[in-house]
Amino acid sequence: MAQEERMLITGGQRLEGTVRVSGGKNTSVAIIPATILSQTPCVIENLPDIEDVHVSVETLRHLGARVNWDPALGTMEVDASSICRTDVPLELCRRMRASSYYIGALLARFGQAQVPLPGGCDIGRRPIDQHIKGMRALGARVETAHGLVTATADGLTGGDVFMDMVTVGGTINVMLAAACAQGTTTIYNAAKEPHIVDLANFLNSMGCRVKGAGTDVIRVRGVQKLASRRPYAVIPDQIETGTLMIAAAATHGDVTICGCIPTHMEALTAKLLEMGAKVDERDDAIRVRSIGAHRAVTFKTQVYPGFPTDLQQPMSALLCTATGTSTVVENIFESRFRHLAEMERMGARVRIFEQTAVIEGVPQLHAAAVEATDLRAGAALVIAGLMAQGTTEISNTCFIDRGYEHLEKKLSSLGAVIWRAQE
Ligand code: EPZ
């Protein structure tokens, strides 16, 4: 990834005040392809102005859909009736992992899809064998050759899909394909993340019949003609909420995050409380305060409602200055510790044994020039920069822009000294 901009942070400022969380990245990249299924134009609201949404807009327009997207308002109108092709270009797939969702959506609406294998973050192999297994269970013919997935179907028929492991993307892709299939599809060992429920709610708002979303068995009764009847607002971003909570604790600040869903944050809240931070929950807001030293903790990433893998990296930054030795076990992806090498340049003391990182707390991190290696690694380096003495320079900010809407504006509004500089 070319190094376009750097983000600079002068650490040591307490974050204080109120900030509003944006709409969810991972729910947006699932609901936008789902608009392909609607016979009527769709209006989606609360979309974040982030790179992954821009790539989603480019993908829909490439397919021939008419898209009006107002990044400032967060509102998108999609008319899929003008879609005239079913191939997604490699250039777009390389920029976004969620491009695989167009397999399920295009198969459901048009009975065919040609989508290159997805790119995404360098956090692991990230195959899509379970996605393909699900499509085949619904009667599709799916071939993968030369990095391209080619899927065809003379009408999809509901079936049973037992996921070999819990996969968010696999669950989403099968839900999209099943939404217009003849009959009922049952997904066993389904993912339960909040954005699975959000997608189910959006599909049901178009007339589909999805039951059990949020549990490990999801039933989708396909409906031939889905039609959006009213605007749909995506849920707030669970991972941005968590990142802001961690930033508040990291700077011993006092921050209220508005527009979030506290029940989505329970695993992180429990860990922050264990570390000695104070967390107060309201209906749609969370207040995080932290005064004294933080206690070291142990956590293991799990599927929802366990500790989210996407918060492992920001949380490991916070643990670098906790009192004592913390243990982090990454159970979801095979190489999601690359940020730790960058944080060692800032004085962190870390030892890695396969999927386990042992972090020995140090009194203070110091600023350094560091490089974001993926989206949440970038977030971890922002947290480290907020804590460090001096001015940290983070390169490859394009990764951060994939998933955080105006992160430096939000942090500046809370008192952080953070800005961007062109190369
Ligand atoms: C989604 O990725 C998210 N991305 C990830 O967020 C998130 O970390 C992940 O879910 C887990 O919550 C989007 O929603 C766009 P998985 P996904 O399929 O769908 C293996 C971020 O930072 N697997 O649940 O790719 C896979 O290799 C991003 O916002 C298979 O083996 O995750 C992984 O080890 C990063 N075969 C595990 O399952 C498959 O067919 C979980 O992957 C599918 C997955």
Side-chain angles (χ1 to χ4, degrees), residues 175-233:
M175 287 169 73
L176 292 169
C180 298
Q182 189 77 32
T184 298
T185 296
T186 303
I187 305 169
Y188 297 95
N189 201 18
K192 301 184 273 194
E193 270 68 8
H195 37 294
I196 301 282
V197 177
D198 207 21
L199 174 62
N201 291 338
F202 176 60
L203 292 173
N204 287 341
S205 77
M206 295 197 287
C208 195
R209 297 190 197 115
V210 185
K211 291 191 182 345
T215 73
D216 50 15
V217 179
I218 299 176
R219 285 192 170 75
V220 182
R221 211 163 110 198
V223 170
Q224 207 63 32
K225 304 262 182 216
L226 295 176
S228 171
R229 302 278 179 227
R230 60 183 185 279
Y232 188 87

CSV table of all heavy atoms in Angstrom, one decimal, residues 175-233:
chain,number,residue,atom,x,y,z
A,175,MET,N,-26.8,-15.7,3.9
A,175,MET,CA,-28.1,-15.0,4.1
A,175,MET,C,-28.5,-14.2,2.8
A,175,MET,O,-29.7,-14.3,2.4
A,175,MET,CB,-28.0,-14.0,5.3
A,175,MET,CG,-27.9,-14.7,6.6
A,175,MET,SD,-27.4,-13.5,7.9
A,175,MET,CE,-28.9,-12.5,8.1
A,176,LEU,N,-27.6,-13.6,2.2
A,176,LEU,CA,-27.9,-12.8,0.9
A,176,LEU,C,-28.3,-13.8,-0.2
A,176,LEU,O,-29.3,-13.5,-0.8
A,176,LEU,CB,-26.6,-12.1,0.5
A,176,LEU,CG,-26.2,-10.9,1.4
A,176,LEU,CD1,-24.8,-10.4,1.0
A,176,LEU,CD2,-27.2,-9.8,1.4
A,177,ALA,N,-27.7,-14.9,-0.3
A,177,ALA,CA,-28.1,-15.8,-1.4
A,177,ALA,C,-29.4,-16.4,-1.1
A,177,ALA,O,-30.3,-16.6,-1.9
A,177,ALA,CB,-27.0,-16.9,-1.5
A,178,ALA,N,-29.7,-16.7,0.2
A,178,ALA,CA,-30.9,-17.4,0.6
A,178,ALA,C,-32.1,-16.5,0.6
A,178,ALA,O,-33.3,-17.0,0.5
A,178,ALA,CB,-30.8,-18.0,2.0
A,179,ALA,N,-31.9,-15.2,0.6
A,179,ALA,CA,-33.0,-14.2,0.7
A,179,ALA,C,-34.1,-14.4,-0.4
A,179,ALA,O,-35.3,-14.1,-0.2
A,179,ALA,CB,-32.5,-12.8,0.8
A,180,CYS,N,-33.6,-14.8,-1.6
A,180,CYS,CA,-34.6,-14.9,-2.7
A,180,CYS,C,-34.7,-16.3,-3.2
A,180,CYS,O,-35.3,-16.6,-4.2
A,180,CYS,CB,-34.1,-14.0,-3.9
A,180,CYS,SG,-34.0,-12.3,-3.5
A,181,ALA,N,-34.1,-17.3,-2.4
A,181,ALA,CA,-34.2,-18.7,-2.8
A,181,ALA,C,-35.6,-19.2,-2.6
A,181,ALA,O,-36.4,-18.7,-1.8
A,181,ALA,CB,-33.2,-19.5,-2.0
A,182,GLN,N,-35.9,-20.3,-3.3
A,182,GLN,CA,-37.2,-21.0,-3.2
A,182,GLN,C,-37.1,-21.8,-1.9
A,182,GLN,O,-36.3,-22.7,-1.8
A,182,GLN,CB,-37.3,-21.9,-4.4
A,182,GLN,CG,-38.7,-22.5,-4.6
A,182,GLN,CD,-39.7,-21.5,-5.1
A,182,GLN,OE1,-39.3,-20.7,-5.9
A,182,GLN,NE2,-41.0,-21.6,-4.7
A,183,GLY,N,-38.0,-21.5,-0.9
A,183,GLY,CA,-38.0,-22.3,0.3
A,183,GLY,C,-37.1,-21.7,1.4
A,183,GLY,O,-36.7,-20.6,1.3
A,184,THR,N,-36.9,-22.5,2.4
A,184,THR,CA,-36.2,-22.1,3.6
A,184,THR,C,-34.8,-22.6,3.7
A,184,THR,O,-34.5,-23.8,3.4
A,184,THR,CB,-37.0,-22.5,4.9
A,184,THR,OG1,-38.3,-21.9,4.8
A,184,THR,CG2,-36.3,-22.1,6.2
A,185,THR,N,-33.9,-21.7,4.1
A,185,THR,CA,-32.5,-22.1,4.3
A,185,THR,C,-32.2,-22.0,5.8
A,185,THR,O,-32.7,-21.0,6.5
A,185,THR,CB,-31.5,-21.1,3.6
A,185,THR,OG1,-31.7,-21.3,2.2
A,185,THR,CG2,-30.1,-21.4,3.9
A,186,THR,N,-31.6,-23.0,6.4
A,186,THR,CA,-31.2,-23.0,7.8
A,186,THR,C,-29.7,-23.0,7.9
A,186,THR,O,-29.0,-23.8,7.3
A,186,THR,CB,-31.8,-24.2,8.5
A,186,THR,OG1,-33.2,-24.2,8.3
A,186,THR,CG2,-31.4,-24.1,10.0
A,187,ILE,N,-29.2,-22.0,8.5
A,187,ILE,CA,-27.7,-21.8,8.7
A,187,ILE,C,-27.4,-22.2,10.2
A,187,ILE,O,-27.9,-21.6,11.1
A,187,ILE,CB,-27.2,-20.4,8.5
A,187,ILE,CG1,-27.7,-19.9,7.1
A,187,ILE,CG2,-25.7,-20.3,8.6
A,187,ILE,CD1,-27.4,-18.4,6.9
A,188,TYR,N,-26.7,-23.3,10.3
A,188,TYR,CA,-26.3,-23.8,11.6
A,188,TYR,C,-24.9,-23.3,11.9
A,188,TYR,O,-24.0,-23.2,11.0
A,188,TYR,CB,-26.3,-25.3,11.7
A,188,TYR,CG,-27.7,-25.9,11.5
A,188,TYR,CD1,-28.1,-26.3,10.2
A,188,TYR,CD2,-28.6,-26.0,12.5
A,188,TYR,CE1,-29.4,-26.9,10.0
A,188,TYR,CE2,-29.9,-26.6,12.4
A,188,TYR,CZ,-30.3,-27.0,11.1
A,188,TYR,OH,-31.5,-27.5,10.9
A,189,ASN,N,-24.6,-23.1,13.2
A,189,ASN,CA,-23.3,-22.6,13.7
A,189,ASN,C,-23.0,-21.2,13.1
A,189,ASN,O,-21.9,-20.9,12.6
A,189,ASN,CB,-22.1,-23.6,13.2
A,189,ASN,CG,-20.9,-23.3,14.1
A,189,ASN,OD1,-20.9,-22.7,15.2
A,189,ASN,ND2,-19.8,-23.8,13.6
A,190,ALA,N,-24.1,-20.4,13.0
A,190,ALA,CA,-24.1,-19.1,12.4
A,190,ALA,C,-23.4,-18.1,13.3
A,190,ALA,O,-23.4,-18.3,14.5
A,190,ALA,CB,-25.5,-18.6,12.1
A,191,ALA,N,-22.8,-17.0,12.7
A,191,ALA,CA,-22.3,-15.9,13.5
A,191,ALA,C,-23.4,-15.2,14.1
A,191,ALA,O,-24.5,-15.1,13.6
A,191,ALA,CB,-21.4,-15.0,12.6
A,192,LYS,N,-23.1,-14.5,15.3
A,192,LYS,CA,-24.1,-13.8,16.0
A,192,LYS,C,-23.8,-12.3,16.2
A,192,LYS,O,-24.5,-11.6,17.0
A,192,LYS,CB,-24.3,-14.5,17.4
A,192,LYS,CG,-24.6,-15.9,17.4
A,192,LYS,CD,-24.8,-16.5,18.7
A,192,LYS,CE,-23.5,-17.0,19.3
A,192,LYS,NZ,-23.7,-17.9,20.5
A,193,GLU,N,-22.8,-11.8,15.4
A,193,GLU,CA,-22.4,-10.4,15.6
A,193,GLU,C,-23.6,-9.4,15.4
A,193,GLU,O,-24.6,-9.8,14.6
A,193,GLU,CB,-21.3,-10.1,14.6
A,193,GLU,CG,-19.9,-10.3,15.1
A,193,GLU,CD,-19.6,-11.8,15.3
A,193,GLU,OE1,-20.4,-12.7,15.0
A,193,GLU,OE2,-18.5,-12.1,15.9
A,194,PRO,N,-23.5,-8.3,16.0
A,194,PRO,CA,-24.6,-7.3,15.8
A,194,PRO,C,-25.0,-7.0,14.3
A,194,PRO,O,-26.1,-6.8,14.0
A,194,PRO,CB,-24.1,-6.0,16.5
A,194,PRO,CG,-23.1,-6.6,17.5
A,194,PRO,CD,-22.5,-7.8,16.9
A,195,HIS,N,-23.9,-7.0,13.5
A,195,HIS,CA,-24.2,-6.7,12.1
A,195,HIS,C,-25.0,-7.8,11.3
A,195,HIS,O,-25.6,-7.5,10.3
A,195,HIS,CB,-23.0,-6.2,11.3
A,195,HIS,CG,-21.7,-6.8,11.5
A,195,HIS,ND1,-21.1,-6.7,12.8
A,195,HIS,CD2,-20.9,-7.6,10.8
A,195,HIS,CE1,-19.9,-7.4,12.7
A,195,HIS,NE2,-19.8,-7.9,11.5
A,196,ILE,N,-24.9,-9.0,11.9
A,196,ILE,CA,-25.7,-10.1,11.3
A,196,ILE,C,-27.2,-9.8,11.6
A,196,ILE,O,-28.1,-9.9,10.7
A,196,ILE,CB,-25.4,-11.5,12.0
A,196,ILE,CG1,-23.9,-11.8,11.8
A,196,ILE,CG2,-26.3,-12.6,11.5
A,196,ILE,CD1,-23.5,-12.3,10.5
A,197,VAL,N,-27.5,-9.3,12.8
A,197,VAL,CA,-28.9,-9.0,13.2
A,197,VAL,C,-29.3,-7.8,12.3
A,197,VAL,O,-30.5,-7.7,11.8
A,197,VAL,CB,-28.9,-8.6,14.7
A,197,VAL,CG1,-30.4,-8.2,15.1
A,197,VAL,CG2,-28.5,-9.9,15.5
A,198,ASP,N,-28.4,-6.8,12.1
A,198,ASP,CA,-28.8,-5.6,11.3
A,198,ASP,C,-29.1,-6.0,9.9
A,198,ASP,O,-30.1,-5.5,9.3
A,198,ASP,CB,-27.6,-4.6,11.3
A,198,ASP,CG,-28.0,-3.2,11.2
A,198,ASP,OD1,-29.2,-2.9,11.5
A,198,ASP,OD2,-27.2,-2.4,10.7
A,199,LEU,N,-28.3,-6.9,9.3
A,199,LEU,CA,-28.6,-7.4,8.0
A,199,LEU,C,-30.0,-8.1,7.9
A,199,LEU,O,-30.8,-7.8,7.0
A,199,LEU,CB,-27.5,-8.3,7.5
A,199,LEU,CG,-27.8,-8.9,6.1
A,199,LEU,CD1,-27.9,-7.9,5.0
A,199,LEU,CD2,-26.7,-10.0,5.7
A,200,ALA,N,-30.2,-8.9,8.9
A,200,ALA,CA,-31.5,-9.6,9.0
A,200,ALA,C,-32.7,-8.7,9.0
A,200,ALA,O,-33.7,-8.8,8.3
A,200,ALA,CB,-31.5,-10.6,10.2
A,201,ASN,N,-32.5,-7.6,9.8
A,201,ASN,CA,-33.6,-6.6,10.0
A,201,ASN,C,-33.8,-5.9,8.6
A,201,ASN,O,-34.9,-5.6,8.2
A,201,ASN,CB,-33.2,-5.6,11.1
A,201,ASN,CG,-33.3,-6.2,12.5
A,201,ASN,OD1,-34.0,-7.2,12.7
A,201,ASN,ND2,-32.6,-5.7,13.4
A,202,PHE,N,-32.7,-5.6,7.9
A,202,PHE,CA,-32.8,-4.9,6.6
A,202,PHE,C,-33.5,-5.8,5.6
A,202,PHE,O,-34.5,-5.4,5.0
A,202,PHE,CB,-31.5,-4.5,6.1
A,202,PHE,CG,-31.5,-3.9,4.7
A,202,PHE,CD1,-32.3,-2.7,4.5
A,202,PHE,CD2,-30.9,-4.5,3.6
A,202,PHE,CE1,-32.4,-2.1,3.3
A,202,PHE,CE2,-31.0,-3.9,2.4
A,202,PHE,CZ,-31.8,-2.7,2.2
A,203,LEU,N,-33.1,-7.1,5.6
A,203,LEU,CA,-33.8,-8.1,4.7
A,203,LEU,C,-35.3,-8.2,5.0
A,203,LEU,O,-36.1,-8.2,4.1
A,203,LEU,CB,-33.1,-9.4,4.7
A,203,LEU,CG,-31.7,-9.5,4.2
A,203,LEU,CD1,-31.0,-10.9,4.5
A,203,LEU,CD2,-31.6,-9.2,2.7
A,204,ASN,N,-35.6,-8.3,6.3
A,204,ASN,CA,-37.0,-8.4,6.7
A,204,ASN,C,-37.8,-7.1,6.4
A,204,ASN,O,-39.0,-7.1,6.0
A,204,ASN,CB,-37.1,-8.7,8.2
A,204,ASN,CG,-36.7,-10.1,8.5
A,204,ASN,OD1,-36.7,-11.0,7.6
A,204,ASN,ND2,-36.4,-10.4,9.7
A,205,SER,N,-37.1,-5.9,6.4
A,205,SER,CA,-37.8,-4.7,6.0
A,205,SER,C,-38.1,-4.7,4.5
A,205,SER,O,-39.0,-3.9,4.1
A,205,SER,CB,-36.9,-3.5,6.4
A,205,SER,OG,-35.9,-3.3,5.4
A,206,MET,N,-37.5,-5.5,3.8
A,206,MET,CA,-37.8,-5.6,2.3
A,206,MET,C,-38.8,-6.8,2.0
A,206,MET,O,-39.1,-7.1,0.9
A,206,MET,CB,-36.5,-5.9,1.5
A,206,MET,CG,-35.5,-4.7,1.6
A,206,MET,SD,-34.3,-4.8,0.3
A,206,MET,CE,-33.3,-6.2,0.9
A,207,GLY,N,-39.2,-7.4,3.1
A,207,GLY,CA,-40.2,-8.5,2.9
A,207,GLY,C,-39.7,-9.9,3.1
A,207,GLY,O,-40.5,-10.9,2.9
A,208,CYS,N,-38.4,-10.0,3.3
A,208,CYS,CA,-37.9,-11.4,3.6
A,208,CYS,C,-38.3,-11.9,4.9
A,208,CYS,O,-38.9,-11.1,5.7
A,208,CYS,CB,-36.3,-11.3,3.5
A,208,CYS,SG,-35.6,-12.9,3.3
A,209,ARG,N,-38.1,-13.2,5.2
A,209,ARG,CA,-38.5,-13.7,6.5
A,209,ARG,C,-37.3,-14.4,7.1
A,209,ARG,O,-37.0,-15.6,6.9
A,209,ARG,CB,-39.7,-14.7,6.3
A,209,ARG,CG,-40.9,-14.0,5.8
A,209,ARG,CD,-42.1,-14.9,5.8
A,209,ARG,NE,-43.1,-14.3,4.9
A,209,ARG,CZ,-43.6,-14.8,3.8
A,209,ARG,NH1,-43.1,-16.0,3.5
A,209,ARG,NH2,-44.5,-14.2,3.0
A,210,VAL,N,-36.5,-13.6,7.9
A,210,VAL,CA,-35.3,-14.1,8.5
A,210,VAL,C,-35.6,-14.3,10.0
A,210,VAL,O,-36.1,-13.3,10.6
A,210,VAL,CB,-34.1,-13.2,8.4
A,210,VAL,CG1,-32.8,-13.8,9.0
A,210,VAL,CG2,-33.8,-12.9,6.9
A,211,LYS,N,-35.4,-15.5,10.6
A,211,LYS,CA,-35.6,-15.7,12.0
A,211,LYS,C,-34.3,-16.2,12.6
A,211,LYS,O,-33.6,-17.0,12.0
A,211,LYS,CB,-36.8,-16.6,12.2
A,211,LYS,CG,-38.2,-16.1,11.8
A,211,LYS,CD,-39.2,-17.1,12.3
A,211,LYS,CE,-40.7,-16.7,11.9
A,211,LYS,NZ,-40.9,-15.4,11.4
A,212,GLY,N,-34.1,-15.8,13.9
A,212,GLY,CA,-33.0,-16.4,14.6
A,212,GLY,C,-31.7,-15.7,14.5
A,212,GLY,O,-30.7,-16.1,15.1
A,213,ALA,N,-31.7,-14.5,13.8
A,213,ALA,CA,-30.4,-13.8,13.7
A,213,ALA,C,-30.0,-13.3,15.1
A,213,ALA,O,-30.8,-12.9,15.9
A,213,ALA,CB,-30.6,-12.6,12.8
A,214,GLY,N,-28.7,-13.5,15.4
A,214,GLY,CA,-28.2,-13.2,16.8
A,214,GLY,C,-28.1,-14.5,17.6
A,214,GLY,O,-27.6,-14.5,18.7
A,215,THR,N,-28.6,-15.6,17.0
A,215,THR,CA,-28.4,-16.9,17.7
A,215,THR,C,-27.6,-17.8,16.7
A,215,THR,O,-27.3,-17.3,15.6
A,215,THR,CB,-29.8,-17.7,17.9
A,215,THR,OG1,-30.2,-18.2,16.6
A,215,THR,CG2,-30.8,-16.8,18.5
A,216,ASP,N,-27.2,-19.0,17.1
A,216,ASP,CA,-26.4,-19.8,16.1
A,216,ASP,C,-27.2,-20.6,15.1
A,216,ASP,O,-26.6,-21.4,14.4
A,216,ASP,CB,-25.4,-20.6,16.9
A,216,ASP,CG,-26.0,-21.4,18.0
A,216,ASP,OD1,-27.3,-21.6,18.0
A,216,ASP,OD2,-25.3,-21.9,18.9
A,217,VAL,N,-28.5,-20.4,15.1
A,217,VAL,CA,-29.3,-21.0,14.0
A,217,VAL,C,-30.2,-20.0,13.4
A,217,VAL,O,-31.0,-19.4,14.1
A,217,VAL,CB,-30.2,-22.2,14.6
A,217,VAL,CG1,-31.0,-22.8,13.4
A,217,VAL,CG2,-29.3,-23.3,15.2
A,218,ILE,N,-29.9,-19.7,12.1
A,218,ILE,CA,-30.7,-18.6,11.4
A,218,ILE,C,-31.5,-19.3,10.3
A,218,ILE,O,-30.9,-20.1,9.5
A,218,ILE,CB,-29.7,-17.6,10.8
A,218,ILE,CG1,-28.9,-16.9,11.9
A,218,ILE,CG2,-30.5,-16.6,10.0
A,218,ILE,CD1,-27.9,-15.9,11.4
A,219,ARG,N,-32.8,-19.0,10.3
A,219,ARG,CA,-33.6,-19.5,9.2
A,219,ARG,C,-34.1,-18.4,8.3
A,219,ARG,O,-34.5,-17.4,8.7
A,219,ARG,CB,-34.9,-20.2,9.8
A,219,ARG,CG,-34.6,-21.6,10.4
A,219,ARG,CD,-35.8,-22.4,10.8
A,219,ARG,NE,-35.3,-23.8,11.1
A,219,ARG,CZ,-34.7,-24.1,12.3
A,219,ARG,NH1,-34.5,-23.1,13.2
A,219,ARG,NH2,-34.3,-25.3,12.5
A,220,VAL,N,-33.8,-18.6,7.0
A,220,VAL,CA,-34.2,-17.6,6.0
A,220,VAL,C,-35.2,-18.2,5.0
A,220,VAL,O,-34.9,-19.1,4.3
A,220,VAL,CB,-32.9,-17.1,5.2
A,220,VAL,CG1,-33.3,-16.1,4.2
A,220,VAL,CG2,-31.8,-16.7,6.1
A,221,ARG,N,-36.4,-17.6,5.1
A,221,ARG,CA,-37.4,-18.1,4.1
A,221,ARG,C,-37.4,-17.1,2.9
A,221,ARG,O,-37.7,-16.0,3.0
A,221,ARG,CB,-38.8,-18.1,4.8
A,221,ARG,CG,-39.7,-19.2,4.2
A,221,ARG,CD,-40.9,-19.5,5.0
A,221,ARG,NE,-42.1,-19.1,4.4
A,221,ARG,CZ,-43.3,-18.9,5.0
A,221,ARG,NH1,-43.3,-19.0,6.3
A,221,ARG,NH2,-44.3,-18.5,4.3
A,222,GLY,N,-36.9,-17.6,1.8
A,222,GLY,CA,-36.7,-16.8,0.6
A,222,GLY,C,-38.0,-16.2,0.1
A,222,GLY,O,-39.1,-16.8,0.2
A,223,VAL,N,-37.9,-15.0,-0.5
A,223,VAL,CA,-39.1,-14.4,-1.1
A,223,VAL,C,-38.6,-13.9,-2.5
A,223,VAL,O,-37.6,-13.2,-2.6
A,223,VAL,CB,-39.5,-13.1,-0.2
A,223,VAL,CG1,-40.5,-12.3,-1.0
A,223,VAL,CG2,-40.1,-13.6,1.1
A,224,GLN,N,-39.3,-14.3,-3.5
A,224,GLN,CA,-38.9,-14.1,-4.9
A,224,GLN,C,-38.6,-12.6,-5.2
A,224,GLN,O,-37.6,-12.2,-5.7
A,224,GLN,CB,-40.0,-14.6,-5.8
A,224,GLN,CG,-39.5,-15.0,-7.2
A,224,GLN,CD,-38.5,-16.2,-7.1
A,224,GLN,OE1,-38.7,-17.0,-6.2
A,224,GLN,NE2,-37.6,-16.2,-8.0
A,225,LYS,N,-39.6,-11.8,-4.8
A,225,LYS,CA,-39.5,-10.3,-5.1
A,225,LYS,C,-39.4,-9.5,-3.8
A,225,LYS,O,-40.4,-9.3,-3.1
A,225,LYS,CB,-40.7,-9.8,-5.9
A,225,LYS,CG,-40.9,-10.6,-7.2
A,225,LYS,CD,-40.4,-9.9,-8.4
A,225,LYS,CE,-40.7,-10.7,-9.7
A,225,LYS,NZ,-39.6,-10.6,-10.7
A,226,LEU,N,-38.2,-9.1,-3.4
A,226,LEU,CA,-38.0,-8.2,-2.2
A,226,LEU,C,-38.1,-6.8,-2.7
A,226,LEU,O,-37.7,-6.4,-3.8
A,226,LEU,CB,-36.7,-8.5,-1.6
A,226,LEU,CG,-36.5,-9.9,-1.0
A,226,LEU,CD1,-35.0,-10.1,-0.5
A,226,LEU,CD2,-37.5,-10.1,0.1
A,227,ALA,N,-38.7,-6.0,-1.8
A,227,ALA,CA,-38.9,-4.5,-2.2
A,227,ALA,C,-38.7,-3.7,-0.9
A,227,ALA,O,-39.5,-3.9,0.0
A,227,ALA,CB,-40.2,-4.3,-2.8
A,228,SER,N,-37.8,-2.7,-1.0
A,228,SER,CA,-37.6,-1.8,0.1
A,228,SER,C,-38.8,-0.8,0.1
A,228,SER,O,-39.1,-0.3,-0.9
A,228,SER,CB,-36.3,-1.1,-0.1
A,228,SER,OG,-36.2,0.0,0.9
A,229,ARG,N,-39.3,-0.6,1.3
A,229,ARG,CA,-40.5,0.3,1.4
A,229,ARG,C,-40.2,1.6,2.2
A,229,ARG,O,-41.0,2.5,2.2
A,229,ARG,CB,-41.7,-0.4,2.1
A,229,ARG,CG,-42.1,-1.7,1.4
A,229,ARG,CD,-43.0,-1.5,0.3
A,229,ARG,NE,-43.4,-2.7,-0.4
A,229,ARG,CZ,-43.4,-2.9,-1.7
A,229,ARG,NH1,-43.0,-1.9,-2.5
A,229,ARG,NH2,-43.7,-4.0,-2.3
A,230,ARG,N,-39.1,1.6,3.0
A,230,ARG,CA,-38.8,2.8,3.8
A,230,ARG,C,-37.3,2.8,4.0
A,230,ARG,O,-36.6,1.8,3.9
A,230,ARG,CB,-39.5,2.6,5.1
A,230,ARG,CG,-39.1,1.4,6.0
A,230,ARG,CD,-39.9,1.3,7.3
A,230,ARG,NE,-39.4,0.2,8.1
A,230,ARG,CZ,-39.7,-1.0,7.9
A,230,ARG,NH1,-40.5,-1.4,7.0
A,230,ARG,NH2,-39.2,-2.0,8.7
A,231,PRO,N,-36.8,4.0,4.3
A,231,PRO,CA,-35.4,4.2,4.6
A,231,PRO,C,-34.9,3.3,5.7
A,231,PRO,O,-35.7,3.0,6.6
A,231,PRO,CB,-35.2,5.7,5.0
A,231,PRO,CG,-36.4,6.3,4.4
A,231,PRO,CD,-37.5,5.3,4.5
A,232,TYR,N,-33.7,2.8,5.7
A,232,TYR,CA,-33.1,1.9,6.7
A,232,TYR,C,-31.8,2.5,7.2
A,232,TYR,O,-30.9,2.8,6.4
A,232,TYR,CB,-32.9,0.5,6.2
A,232,TYR,CG,-32.5,-0.4,7.3
A,232,TYR,CD1,-33.5,-1.1,8.0
A,232,TYR,CD2,-31.2,-0.6,7.6
A,232,TYR,CE1,-33.2,-2.0,9.0
A,232,TYR,CE2,-30.9,-1.5,8.7
A,232,TYR,CZ,-31.9,-2.1,9.4
A,232,TYR,OH,-31.5,-3.0,10.4
A,233,ALA,N,-31.7,2.7,8.5
A,233,ALA,CA,-30.5,3.3,9.1
A,233,ALA,C,-29.7,2.2,9.7
A,233,ALA,O,-30.2,1.3,10.5
A,233,ALA,CB,-30.9,4.3,10.2
